[in-house]
Amino acid sequence: MTTGVVERPSAAERVRDALKRFLPAALLFLGGLATWELVHRVFGIEDFLLPQPSDIAATFAAEAGTVIPAGWFTFQEALVGFLIGAVAAVLIALLTARWTPIQAGVVPFAVAVNATPIIALAPIMNQWFSVTSIWSKAAIVAVIVFFPVMINTTRGLIEVNERSIELMRSYGASPGAILRKVRVPHALPFVFSALKVGTTLSVIAAIVSEYFGGSRKALGVYITQQAALFHLAEAWAAIVVASTMGITFYIAVVLIERAVMPWHASVRGEDLG
């Protein structure tokens, strides 16, 4: 006789599941570093071309007082731009879902802006704002993040099962109620998929925009200066900080996704196929 009580996995089972999920990636990462170190030693690659991981680690420890604050400065630019771009994208998507004709004018414009490379936007934004201002870099990040979030959110709001809409209308639900109870829940997985892509895009856009001028506190400026002097171990140490920023930002959005929509199959780890 079933009691209807769902048994929670034990601590050992959770540890085993975590190992199955993360151990292959960890082993692949460590194996890649070991191969890099071995190839560098066997073939005698010069450090000014490609430093070995052990040298990068030692340099990172020595330069931590410089690269970590620089990473935090750049992350602020990425975060501000990400929030501006994401909020603007969701608002525009809500308008296009409510008034479909708006979509015909907004989507081509968004595609054109998205096709514009960062190297073309950076000098313009530096002129509009101060070259050392956080807003010139945040504006570039906002433009880069806007397109994927807007397109995915619009898709999630519009591509709703018509039978669900008809059922809500049969109960006399207003367009606002349909938006809140049907369209928005359906769009959330699309939104978070775009936001996760936007986390990495925002860090990339912030750093690349700094290559065209910025505060001496910025990570991108530090990388270009060290690379110009052939201090590649220092440059790679800064790249490690940039990668850590992107991964941390991505994980933060994943955790928010799990808190906002724990009911979704992708969050529960179920097969969506």
Side-chain angles (χ1 to χ4, degrees):
M1 178 178 179
T2 59
T3 61
V5 177
V6 179
E7 294 184 1
R8 293 186 176 183
S10 64
E13 291 174 336
R14 290 197 297 269
V15 170
R16 185 168 59 251
D17 291 340
L19 287 175
K20 288 181 180 179
R21 179 177 299 181
F22 299 112
L23 186 59
L27 291 176
L28 181 62
F29 175 73
L30 294 175
L33 290 180
T35 302
W36 180 353
E37 186 86 19
L38 180 62
V39 169
H40 188 283
R41 293 176 182 272
V42 170
F43 293 96
I45 300 174
E46 297 292 342
D47 288 339
F48 69 86
L49 293 176
L50 180 66
Q52 53 193 351
S54 57
D55 289 341
I56 295 172
T59 303
F60 176 82
E63 295 290 323
T66 300
V67 294
I68 292 178
W72 171 244
F73 183 89
T74 298
F75 179 74
Q76 293 178 74
E77 299 173 340
L79 180 60
V80 171
F82 175 85
L83 293 175
I84 294 173
V87 170
V90 171
L91 292 177
I92 295 297
L94 289 171
L95 291 176
T96 58
R98 181 64 180 87
W99 293 284
T100 307
I102 298 178
Q103 184 179 4
V106 171
V107 172
F109 176 75
V111 171
V113 172
N114 185 70
T116 305
I118 299 175
I119 58 175
L121 291 175
I124 296 174
M125 295 301 178
N126 286 338
Q127 290 296 325
W128 286 2
F129 307 93
S130 171
V131 68
T132 58
S133 171
I134 187 176
W135 295 107
S136 61
K137 311 304 181 289
I140 296 173
V141 173
V143 170
I144 298 300
V145 170
F146 175 84
F147 179 77
V149 177
M150 192 275 287
I151 292 296
N152 278 273
T153 304
T154 302
R155 180 186 173 193
L157 292 170
I158 293 176
E159 295 182 2
V160 180
N161 192 319
E162 285 298 325
R163 287 177 294 182
S164 299
I165 302 296
E166 292 174 1
L167 178 62
M168 292 293 291
R169 287 172 178 167
S170 68
Y171 284 104
S174 64
I178 294 174
L179 177 66
R180 293 192 308 272
K181 298 180 180 180
V182 178
R183 293 190 185 277
V184 170
H186 182 268
L188 282 177
F190 295 84
V191 174
F192 278 104
S193 294
L195 291 178
K196 286 184 284 189
V197 173
T199 57
T200 55
L201 288 178
S202 64
V203 174
I204 293 171
I207 293 176
V208 172
S209 64
E210 291 169 349
Y211 292 166
F212 299 89
S215 171
R216 295 175 65 105
K217 303 176 183 178
L219 194 65
V221 174
Y222 178 86
I223 292 174
T224 54
Q225 290 176 342
Q226 298 303 321
L229 296 172
F230 292 95
H231 297 167
L232 293 195
E234 287 79 359
W236 275 98
I239 292 172
V240 171
V241 174
S243 299
T244 304
M245 284 164 41
I247 294 171
T248 303
F249 201 0
Y250 181 92
I251 292 174
V253 172
V254 169
L255 294 176
I256 295 173
E257 178 186 26
R258 291 178 177 273
V260 171
M261 46 179 231
W263 43 266
H264 195 259
S266 63
V267 174
R268 299 197 307 267
E270 296 180 5
D271 185 6
L272 294 174

